[in-house]
Amino acid sequence: MRKKVSAFILLFAFWLLLTFSVEPGFFVVGMLLSVLVVVLLAGRHPRREWLLNPLRWLWLLIYMPYFFYYCIKANLDVAYRVVHPDMPIRPGIVKVPTTLKTNLAKTFLANSITLTPGTLTVDIVGSDLYVHCINIHTDDPEEQTREIVGRFEGLLKRIFE
Amino acid sequence: MTELGYLLIAVGVLFDIFGTFGLVRLPDVYNRLQAATKCVTLGTCFILIGVALSGPSLGFGVRAILCAVFILLTSPVGAHALARGAHLGGVKLWEKSVVDKYEEDAEKVQEAMAAPKAKQSD
């Protein structure tokens, strides 16, 4: 029950921000929709003890600019490769292992990898990520792992595990 | 603030243009997905933040920022689903690609999909 109430509050808060209006009609529709979504998705919430730990939120705040930096850097790299007349790309799908355990952390890692240009997560099987890279610098699997997973893994471990 | 907003919109449009270049020039589905999802996600987020800064009211800005958050959350999931679907559907990588570990491990992947979902703590 507590989970449902907190999910409802979260959804309704999103609705209020999205409509950004105090008209009663919007309130009623928002409440109905929030209840509907909570009922439809009952029991599908992740474990949420970590939500209460402020240290994890602090690491999340540190993670965001860190991720943004790599995102911009990689974006410029891909932009350069795309407009270069010879298109110096060396694509392929590599397999990189991760030490993260929970599904939530793995999802976050996979999404971070996908949002960083030049790398795209195709699938996760067990603890292995299959990542499509636009430009593979090295054929050494350990080097690849360090380059693709290593930069995010440490911080994500602090946030989620 | 308004000028900064316009600057961000310009940067965003630039990234979107690079993404479009990639979509046209890169060789196969997977490379094109990269261009279509990443450069364009970042570019669109820049445009939305720019709109938030230069928009006429607070409500306008809050909505634009929320849209950026939702794009950031959903676009990688969509890209992953398309890439995986394409690969499982038999779309080959570009002939000059150097390695395809996903293809090499195809049996393991099939097994993992057929096996009942393992219970996990999260």
Side-chain angles (χ1 to χ4, degrees):
Chain A
M1 191 62 204
R2 253 182 62 207
K3 275 184 174 178
K4 284 184 184 168
V5 172
S6 56
F8 171 79
I9 292 172
L10 191 71
L11 285 168
F12 192 57
F14 260 125
W15 172 269
L16 288 182
L17 283 176
L18 207 53
T19 52
F20 217 78
S21 140
V22 286
E23 271 183 63
F26 278 126
F27 265 72
V28 175
V29 173
M31 274 193 197
L32 287 178
L33 283 176
S34 302
V35 169
L36 187 72
V37 171
V38 169
V39 170
L40 283 178
L41 299 181
R44 291 193 156 262
H45 322 289
R47 217 175 31 158
R48 56 183 69 218
E49 287 97 71
W50 72 271
L51 274 177
L52 301 173
N53 189 337
L55 202 63
R56 290 171 190 260
W57 286 97
L58 186 70
W59 283 114
L60 190 65
L61 273 184
I62 296 173
Y63 179 70
M64 280 195 271
Y66 180 80
F67 167 72
F68 201 63
Y69 165 73
Y70 276 108
C71 198
I72 302 269
K73 205 174 113 186
N75 233 314
L76 292 174
D77 183 61
V78 171
Y80 163 74
R81 287 177 198 289
V82 163
V83 294
H84 193 286
D86 300 330
M87 261 205 319
I89 60 172
R90 203 165 166 263
I93 296 181
V94 297
K95 176 174 156 184
V96 290
T98 171
T99 56
L100 296 172
K101 296 280 184 307
T102 61
N103 280 344
L104 187 61
K106 276 188 219 161
T107 310
F108 228 84
L109 178 67
N111 276 5
S112 299
I113 290 173
T114 301
L115 273 177
T116 317
T119 52
L120 184 148
T121 315
V122 178
D123 204 353
I124 305 178
V125 177
S127 63
D128 293 324
L129 279 84
Y130 294 90
V131 179
H132 181 270
C133 295
I134 216 167
N135 189 54
I136 302 173
H137 315 275
T138 158
D139 291 324
D140 174 27
E142 279 175 27
E143 189 81 12
Q144 290 166 354
T145 306
R146 203 165 42 243
E147 210 162 276
I148 299 169
V149 177
R151 53 169 93 133
F152 300 127
E153 213 171 43
L155 274 171
L156 284 176
K157 200 165 236 160
R158 289 205 166 92
I159 298 171
F160 292 107
E161 290 182 357
Chain B
M1 270 322 226
T2 316
E3 285 74 15
L4 186 65
Y6 288 152
L7 185 71
L8 283 178
I9 292 175
V11 172
V13 170
L14 204 66
F15 274 125
D16 275 8
I17 289 173
F18 283 135
T20 321
F21 264 130
L23 193 63
V24 175
R25 293 199 64 200
L26 289 169
D28 67 1
V29 181
Y30 308 96
N31 286 310
R32 285 181 168 173
L33 259 180
Q34 301 246 18
T37 53
K38 269 69 74 66
C39 291
V40 172
T41 303
L42 192 74
T44 310
C45 284
F46 267 121
I47 293 176
L48 284 169
I49 295 170
V51 166
L53 288 179
S54 59
S57 70
L58 183 65
F60 209 80
V62 170
R63 273 175 235 170
I65 299 284
L66 273 184
C67 287
V69 170
F70 283 130
I71 288 178
L72 273 178
L73 286 177
T74 51
S75 132
V77 180
H80 145 73
L82 283 171
R84 183 166 179 270
H87 204 290
L88 293 177
V91 179
K92 292 273 170 280
L93 267 71
W94 186 37
E95 65 265 27
K96 284 184 198 155
S97 301
V98 286
V99 61
D100 187 354
K101 281 275 196 268
Y102 197 55
E103 185 69 51
E104 289 167 25
D105 286 359
E107 278 176 32
K108 211 179 121 200
V109 173
Q110 293 290 345
E111 253 170 53
M113 272 198 296
K117 288 273 179 288
K119 280 277 173 213
Q120 249 188 319
S121 55
D122 237 332

